[in-house]
Amino acid sequence: MSIYVDNGATTKLSSKALSAMLPFFQEEYGNPSSLHSVGQRANEALTDARTRIAKVLNCDPKEIIFTSGGSEADNQAIRSAAMLGARKGKKHIISTAFEHHAVLHTLDKLKKQGYEITLLDVHEHGLVTAEQVRKAIREDTCLVTVMYANNEIGTIQPIEEIGAVCREKGVLFHTDAVQAVGHLKVDVQEQNIDMLSLSAHKFHGPKGIGVLYARKGILLEPLIEGGAQERGRRAGTENIPAIVGMAAALEEAVDGIEEKQLKLKGLRQKLIAGLSKIPHSVLNGDQNQRLPGNVHFCFEGIEGESLLLLLDDKGICASSGSACTSGSLDPSHVLLAIGRPHEIAHGSLRLSLSDENTEEEVDYIIEAVTDVVAYLRSISPVWRDLQAGIQDYIIK
Amino acid sequence: MALYSDKVMDHFRNPRNVGVIEDADGVGEVGNAKCGDIMKIYLKIQDDRIVDAKFETFGCGSAIASSSMATELIKGKPVSDALALTNQAVVEALDGLPTHKIHCSVLAEEAIKLALKDYYERNGIEYDKSQFPCCESCDHCSH
């Protein structure tokens, strides 16, 4: 038995996406830049996928650039905006403390190159406000980059309002929407978005493919030099099977999105209610302003990796967002950003649902997590001290 | 390759010697909850021999496995053997640990040494201070 609740890490490829992709491996394998008919058929597939994706995002197909994924799109958006800013003497960028590392590490690099970075506080519930953005914007601000939904705790940021502030102030607005696209409404016009990053494998599309949407008129700096693909903004032969699969997966994901959200929210609230019964546990991130399938908890007195390994033994595939699994010993920057102390941040669990998960699975997960947390506490000296009153509980 | 060897997973899933010795002759605790690992080792010592060893651990899979293996390696052994136990011996007995988890075996070695130091001090036994870790600080992460 295997219960997959790590859809924030990646998702299963949908059958529709797979069947859309298959002809492009052995039948329609042409290079879209070739002039012969096999190449031109590939080019038609590329144009068709671009048009369909643009329709979902509500933009012009020319505003879609295919990338290798979300990280590349984030890198290119931020670097391009930084270069554009520098030409006008604007070298200030606003972001948040809990962005994905694809954003934070790019900003770190720009900081070393003389840019000034303001990281907004995300508060206890993992939310920023448009007002914070307004206050942080300066004469020399060239970019605001705020994620649509956080990848660990799932909190949804008010990007439409943030976008409106940026429009008013004449500052470019980029959003890392990797966790949001396919799960939440996206409309780049209505939501005042200048640039947006997305990744196909987060919505049941293939890995290794993503999109950078950039509004007409924003000059993009290529990260990869070479041929004239993607109108000179991204060199390299296009990954046609993946692009076609992404278009199919995106259409499928947004078809009936509201019913799927309702179903997921039901499962999510049930999980939250069940796990909240574990003593000295706490939900991370706002209770309601979060991705429909995201549940993220901290449990006092235990460490996240042991929890994950024992859940895996019970057939549950989850993640912690904790350091241990990633090879670093420092706890999650996201949990630290919402003010969880290190001691607590080590004992975290993220369950990210898809609409394939069932109520029965949720019941099983609640029981399994409750048992494993109790067991790990029974062998934990920290828990013994807490129980004996030698230390005070951090999570009441 | 899996994250951990079969030996590590076995000692993690079925840890030996978990628990507390209420009338322990020596207790050693190392690590820091901020770093994500705390290890506490209890020893029962008779006639200069470790007659029982138990542990409690807050930490990752390799921290639990290291505590389990370290207590197995010293149980029934003379105190001098326990004192000579190195983290490398724990790593080898576990068929290896990933590089970034080696500090878990260091914690096991240090916890045993601290428990022995506690035993010496409780019983007024002279010991070579240079053989023991100097403090309980955690050097393994930035906190």
Side-chain angles (χ1 to χ4, degrees), chain A residues 6-47:
Chain A
D6 198 13
N7 290 280
T10 195
T11 58
K12 182 167 100 177
L13 187 72
S14 85
S15 301
K16 276 189 187 162
L18 177 63
S19 50
M21 292 169 77
L22 287 175
F24 293 92
F25 288 103
Q26 291 192 313
E27 293 151 42
E28 302 296 346
Y29 51 82
N31 184 328
S33 299
S34 299
L35 291 177
H36 49 66
S37 52
V38 176
Q40 286 312 297
R41 284 202 299 275
N43 194 32
E44 275 164 35
L46 178 64
T47 304

Side-chain angles (χ1 to χ4, degrees), chain A residues 23-85:
Chain A
F24 293 92
F25 288 103
Q26 291 192 313
E27 293 151 42
E28 302 296 346
Y29 51 82
N31 184 328
S33 299
S34 299
L35 291 177
H36 49 66
S37 52
V38 176
Q40 286 312 297
R41 284 202 299 275
N43 194 32
E44 275 164 35
L46 178 64
T47 304
D48 176 62
R50 197 188 302 279
T51 307
R52 287 156 59 204
I53 291 169
K55 195 174 171 210
V56 172
L57 301 181
N58 191 22
C59 67
D60 190 281
K62 289 200 181 89
E63 297 173 314
I64 298 286
I65 299 112
F66 293 117
T67 67
S68 63
S71 293
E72 186 187 326
D74 284 341
N75 273 258
Q76 189 169 12
I78 294 168
R79 281 169 191 278
S80 300
M83 294 275 246
L84 286 171

Side-chain angles (χ1 to χ4, degrees), chain A residues 300-303 305-307 309-310 313 324-331 336 342-344 346-347 375-376 378-382 384-385 391, chain B residues 3-4 9 12-13 15 18 20 22 29 33-36 38-40 42 55-62 64 100-101 103 140-143:
Chain A
E300 189 154 11
I302 63 158
E303 196 279 333
E305 189 205 88
S306 317
L307 174 61
L309 292 173
L310 292 176
D313 280 350
C324 267
T325 43
S326 67
S328 147
L329 300 173
D330 289 328
L336 299 181
H342 285 76
E343 291 86 333
I344 296 304
H346 282 292
Y375 164 69
L376 287 172
S378 78
I379 70 168
S380 163
V382 175
R384 172 177 299 279
D385 286 354
Q391 270 181 51
Chain B
L3 176 61
Y4 293 130
M9 287 310 290
F12 166 64
R13 289 189 179 114
V18 174
V20 176
E22 295 294 350
E29 182 174 317
K34 279 192 167 185
C35 307
I38 292 188
M39 231 174 250
K40 193 166 183 178
Y42 303 82
F55 80 87
E56 290 179 305
T57 291
F58 160 87
C60 59
S62 63
I64 292 170
H100 66 286
K101 298 290 189 180
H103 76 277
H140 312 298
C141 69
S142 48
H143 310 290

Side-chain angles (χ1 to χ4, degrees), chain A residues 131-185:
Chain A
E131 214 31 53
Q132 279 177 276
V133 173
R134 181 187 294 280
K135 283 184 185 147
I137 291 179
R138 313 189 313 210
E139 281 295 307
D140 63 341
T141 304
C142 60
L143 173 70
V144 171
T145 174
V146 174
M147 67 202 322
Y148 193 153
N150 183 266
N151 53 308
E152 288 187 30
I153 60 173
T155 50
I156 300 168
Q157 308 308 313
I159 54 157
E160 187 172 334
E161 289 80 2
I162 293 171
V165 167
C166 293
R167 282 280 153 89
E168 185 194 319
K169 299 275 187 183
V171 176
L172 283 180
F173 174 48
H174 166 254
T175 186
D176 170 357
V178 166
Q179 292 288 334
V181 172
H183 306 280
L184 301 173
K185 182 195 103 168

